[in-house]
Amino acid sequence: QVQLVESGGGLVQAGGSLRLSCAASGSIFGIISMGWYRQAPGNQRELVAGITVDGRPNYADSVNGRFTISRDNAKNMVCLQMNSLKPEDTAVYYCNVRAVPSSYWGQGTQVTVSS
């Protein structure tokens, strides 16, 4: 059974940094990409950053230049370094693994940025 376990969320002041980590347990075959999504109250879940198996990253415009995604293929881990955090980054952040034929989600970790 596949599980994605996230860690690293919390409360930080604007301008601060946090690092999110996601470790996948269990066997996952056919991975296409790993990434992070977020959902703020009243908003739809949105892609924050993703990275393909060959290491190509993509970022939402709102975080480009502030966030950095990285992955360890051997460990099935993906991390998100978040710098220069803003109050509008406040949300529940979800780890996602896109694979064939299934995709997987973590349980979510809260990130709160105070002004």
Side-chain angles (χ1 to χ4, degrees), residues 48-68:
V48 177
I51 186 165
T52 60
V53 290
D54 56 356
R56 288 178 288 126
N58 65 288
Y59 299 96
D61 289 344
S62 58
V63 308
N64 199 17
R66 300 188 296 122
F67 291 9
T68 302

Side-chain angles (χ1 to χ4, degrees), residues 31 45 58 81:
I31 294 178
R45 192 172 296 189
N58 65 288
Q81 178 66 42

